[in-house]
Amino acid sequence: MHENESERVRSAVLVAVQRPDVEDTEFAESLTELRRLAKTLGLAIAGTCTQRRSAFDAATYVGSGKLEELKGADTILVDHEISPSQARNLEKATGAVVMDRTAVILEIFHRHARSRAAKAQVEIVRLQYLAPRLREHGAGKDRQRGGIGGKGAGESGVELDRRKIRDRVAELTAELASLEQERRTQRARRQDLARLALVGYTNAGKSTLMRALTGSEVYVADKLFATLDTTVRALVPETRPRILVSDTVGFIKKLPHGLVASFKSTLAEALEASLLVHVVDASDPGFERQLEVTAEVLAEIGAGEVSRLVVFNKIDRVGDAVARAPAAAALRERWPEAVVMSAKDPADVARLHARFAAFFTRDLVEAELRVPWDRQHLRGEIFAACEVVDERAEADGAVFRVRARPETIARLGRS
Ligand SMILES: Nc1nc2c(ncn2[C@@H]2O[C@H](COP(=O)(O)OP(=O)(O)OP(=O)(O)O)[C@@H](O)[C@H]2O)c(=O)[nH]1
Ligand SMILES: [Mg+2]
């Protein structure tokens, strides 16, 4: 988006075609979500235009009758991924800027990326999205209006021809590989520590829980995709052994495939956790579908087998004071293993904390670690990673009687 244009509040008309195999509730939920995505981008919603059709129109996505209605719209947001030619035809017929669901999500990711890795990952997917659109149009300057293909890493996307895009993608990929190397080193250091990851649909409350559980100041916002980077913090009050918590990028229906792939490495870190805490916004009418989407993405990225705890969050927002208790009871009955809670309730957070501590102390073993007097720098590490039951001094060094994970004892025994 041009810098000068980003100041102006643009208005958008939401457009969606409902095919026969899509149920009304699912269709409505998806539109509601597109409205929230638009709000996250700061767009004002000027209207909604829906149509039932057996299939998307091959040329213009909606039928010709609807095209008339859309004339004069400023921006059109299409609730599906459409082809470059459909987008171009739709723009020609209506005079509006057209963004499909993928473009909207990519723009949000672009704006919210903070770390070098997240920026590079998003930029790669945006360039790949842009490439076929450049081919169709040539690099006309007006293509910048859609918001996609704006400035990335100091260059203007539209001025890049396909070859330059390929070079840039290669450059970013190499940058990511070196960042990945750093990350692997950090990761190796944490390998045998007790770790859990907060995963789930965007806006479920993962970062809010992260804050409550670790006392850290991670970013929380009523926006979609507020978090794009994995952050890692220790559970507070600290447990023995220390438990590390990772906050991760949220999921969404129809997440552009390039993004799933590019966020795999960010998520990979979380996936090394022994426990996945699947956070669900129980106050969202579409929470069941969100639960499914998250489960699908987790399976897709290879996390299907990791132990999982489902947390139904935001119970304080479910119904009114009268309806809340039965709603919570219904959730507990249907998902007996799950936790039903509010991240805003300190007592609930404390209960969750206790549950995590119990999970990680379950398979601790007791062992003795002998640390020679010239290796006392290991002391701090032992206290961080283990529960020290007893400590005594002997002629050749200190002997610690500890309770810890078998992997931890193996590592400390080697070092
Ligand atoms: N009432 C209520 N609001 C909550 C609760 N948990 C989170 N929220 C709010 O929900 C919104 C989203 O919270 P986040 O913690 O940013 O959600 P997230 O899962 O990290 O979202 P992404 O980073 O977009 O994936 C914020 O406005 C929070 O204040 C809760 O238990 N009760
Ligand atoms: Mg977040």
Side-chain angles (χ1 to χ4, degrees):
M1 193 175 286
H2 281 302
E3 298 309 315
N4 53 5
E5 266 195 35
S6 61
E7 297 300 313
R8 184 163 69 89
V9 175
R10 302 207 333 220
S11 70
V13 178
L14 311 183
V15 182
V17 168
Q18 184 176 7
R19 287 182 294 195
D21 60 329
V22 176
E23 281 177 32
D24 289 353
T25 46
E26 188 178 351
F27 182 71
E29 277 164 23
S30 186
L31 259 180
T32 304
E33 195 164 86
L34 183 64
R35 193 167 294 123
R36 295 184 57 207
L37 289 165
K39 208 180 110 196
T40 298
L41 276 185
L43 295 168
I45 309 299
T48 303
C49 172
T50 63
Q51 184 176 36
R52 284 174 194 271
R53 281 185 127 245
S54 57
F56 302 154
D57 186 275
T60 55
Y61 176 68
V62 289
S64 50
K66 288 285 167 188
L67 286 178
E68 284 303 312
E69 275 180 42
L70 290 170
K71 272 191 184 146
D74 178 26
T75 303
I76 289 175
L77 302 185
V78 177
D79 197 26
H80 289 97
E81 183 168 316
I82 57 175
S83 71
S85 72
Q86 283 172 319
R88 183 191 54 198
N89 292 336
L90 205 47
E91 291 200 337
K92 269 195 192 146
T94 61
V97 171
V98 171
M99 290 174 86
D100 66 1
R101 192 178 171 95
T102 301
V104 172
I105 293 174
L106 286 178
E107 182 64 21
I108 294 175
F109 269 68
H110 174 61
R111 291 194 196 172
H112 291 181
R114 291 287 166 267
S115 70
R116 269 168 70 203
K119 281 187 171 143
Q121 275 158 340
V122 175
E123 197 58 27
I124 290 172
V125 186
R126 288 176 91 225
L127 289 170
Q128 285 165 343
Y129 177 87
L130 181 67
R133 284 155 180 85
L134 279 184
R135 182 176 54 207
E136 299 246 339
H137 301 283
K141 281 227 179 248
D142 63 317
R143 302 303 309 157
Q144 222 167 358
R145 292 184 307 157
I148 289 297
K151 294 205 298 182
E155 294 176 38
S156 166
V158 272
E159 281 152 19
L160 299 171
D161 59 17
R162 282 170 64 212
R163 191 194 154 84
K164 281 188 184 155
I165 287 185
R166 263 204 312 276
D167 290 350
R168 180 75 184 132
V169 168
E171 196 183 340
L172 289 164
T173 307
E175 186 186 336
L176 271 179
S178 78
L179 289 172
E180 176 60 22
Q181 191 55 46
E182 276 171 42
R183 217 165 20 200
R184 246 197 297 271
T185 315
Q186 282 178 3
R187 231 147 70 185
R189 251 183 268 135
R190 293 196 284 253
Q191 214 168 34
D192 61 314
L193 297 179
R195 300 184 54 187
L196 65 87
L198 300 166
V199 296
Y201 214 75
T202 180
N203 207 53
K206 300 177 292 299
S207 299
T208 307
L209 264 178
M210 173 86 172
R211 277 186 160 203
L213 288 165
T214 67
S216 64
E217 293 295 306
V218 296
Y219 183 57
V220 169
D222 196 9
K223 282 180 183 167
L224 301 188
F225 303 112
T227 306
L228 292 187
D229 299 295
T230 302
T231 45
V232 183
R233 298 279 182 280
L235 199 63
V236 172
E238 276 213 10
T239 50
R240 287 288 175 263
R242 196 153 59 131
I243 299 171
L244 296 184
V245 184
S246 313
D247 183 17
T248 63
V249 60
F251 302 148
I252 196 166
K253 255 168 283 191
K254 304 180 217 158
L255 187 67
H257 266 272
L259 282 181
V260 177
S262 80
F263 276 83
K264 255 187 195 166
S265 63
T266 313
L267 283 164
E269 177 156 4
L271 301 183
E272 287 168 2
S274 318
L275 177 66
L276 290 180
V277 180
H278 178 170
V279 186
V280 183
D281 177 354
S283 73
D284 193 301
F287 80 83
E288 285 191 44
R289 238 179 293 275
Q290 298 184 355
L291 215 152
E292 283 165 25
V293 170
T294 303
E296 280 163 22
V297 180
L298 288 175
E300 195 177 327
I301 59 178
E305 304 300 310
V306 187
S307 298
R308 205 170 301 178
L309 174 69
V310 175
V311 170
F312 289 103
N313 187 34
K314 304 199 195 181
I315 196 67
D316 60 295
R317 283 188 58 193
V318 173
D320 53 18
V322 182
R324 192 161 309 133
L331 286 173
R332 287 194 180 97
E333 189 175 321
R334 198 161 150 210
W335 286 277
E337 305 293 322
V339 172
V340 178
M341 66 171 290
S342 164
K344 308 247 165 165
D345 180 343
D348 281 354
V349 174
R351 267 192 290 276
L352 190 63
H353 183 287
R355 186 139 173 182
F356 291 160
F359 178 89
F360 284 99
T361 46
R362 218 182 32 185
D363 42 30
L364 294 188
V365 295
E366 212 167 287
E368 257 185 14
L369 292 169
R370 310 182 74 87
V371 181
W373 293 121
D374 60 349
R375 313 225 43 188
Q376 292 302 309
H377 55 278
L378 287 175
R379 213 189 139 79
E381 223 173 304
I382 289 173
F383 273 87
C386 313
E387 183 195 337
V388 178
V389 184
D390 182 45
E391 179 185 356
R392 62 178 197 275
E394 291 194 355
D396 54 345
V399 180
F400 298 89
R401 181 131 212 103
V402 300
R403 277 163 52 76
R405 294 152 60 78
E407 305 93 303
T408 308
I409 288 169
R411 174 177 63 95
L412 290 169
R414 278 194 308 271
S415 48

